[in-house]
């Protein structure tokens, strides 16, 4: 699994990647899933008061704490969506990523917050 375009997020300008909405910021980021894979991404429980995932098509982009992506069997698959971060939109976003039945792996995404600890 890969989130395309995260390089500029650590120290970039929020307005280049997202927009203020209501009580926070919505950032667009595609999720690319390797062919034949099933990947579940969860916002870490301790971060759910500040962050959510917004991916979908038919069902809309309802914020969720967890999303399961299923790739096409014969090609990589890209999902359109993003992250919602409440408040000023800066956050070290901890996500738990589980590929298939493997144990989840924690990643931390620096959402316009400078360096983050893993």
């Amino acid at each position: 699994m890969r989130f395309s375009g995260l390089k500029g997020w650590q120290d970039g300008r929020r307005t280049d990647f997202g927009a203020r909405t209501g009580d926070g910021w919505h950032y667009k980021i595609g999720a690319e899933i390797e062919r034949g894979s099933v990947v579940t991404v969860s916002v870490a429980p301790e971060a759910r008061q500040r962050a959510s995932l917004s991916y979908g098509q038919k069902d809309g982009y309802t914020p969720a704490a967890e999303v399961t992506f299923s790739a096409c069997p014969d090609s990589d698959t890209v999902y359109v969506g993003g992250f919602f971060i409440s408040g000023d939109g800066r956050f070290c976003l901890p996500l738990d990523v589980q590929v298939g039945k493997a144990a989840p792996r924690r990643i931390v995404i620096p959402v316009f917050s400078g360096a983050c600890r893993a």
Side-chain angles (χ1 to χ4, degrees):
M1 168 181 203
R2 185 175 70 198
F3 290 110
S4 302
L6 284 178
K7 269 190 172 183
W9 284 39
Q10 181 172 323
D11 298 308
R13 293 181 343 171
R14 293 172 291 168
T15 54
D16 289 345
F17 300 90
R20 183 148 184 73
T21 59
D23 60 347
W25 285 75
H26 184 265
Y27 301 107
K28 292 182 181 181
I29 188 78
E32 185 176 349
I33 311 302
E34 188 176 309
R35 70 178 177 198
S37 296
V38 175
V39 178
T40 299
V41 178
S42 304
V43 175
E46 65 273 16
R48 292 180 182 174
Q49 293 295 326
R50 290 237 21 231
S52 61
L53 306 169
S54 295
Y55 287 88
Q57 292 292 333
K58 187 177 180 181
D59 297 327
Y61 292 92
T62 303
E66 182 175 285
V67 175
T68 298
F69 301 97
S70 296
C72 296
D74 55 358
S75 66
D76 293 351
T77 305
V78 176
Y79 286 85
V80 176
F83 307 140
F84 176 80
I85 307 294
S86 66
D88 71 357
R90 293 179 171 93
F91 193 54
C92 290
L93 175 59
L95 298 175
D96 295 321
V97 179
Q98 182 178 16
V99 179
K101 296 189 184 294
R105 189 177 126 228
R106 173 72 51 100
I107 63 170
V108 179
I109 297 173
V111 182
F112 309 100
S113 59
C116 296
R117 289 180 161 175

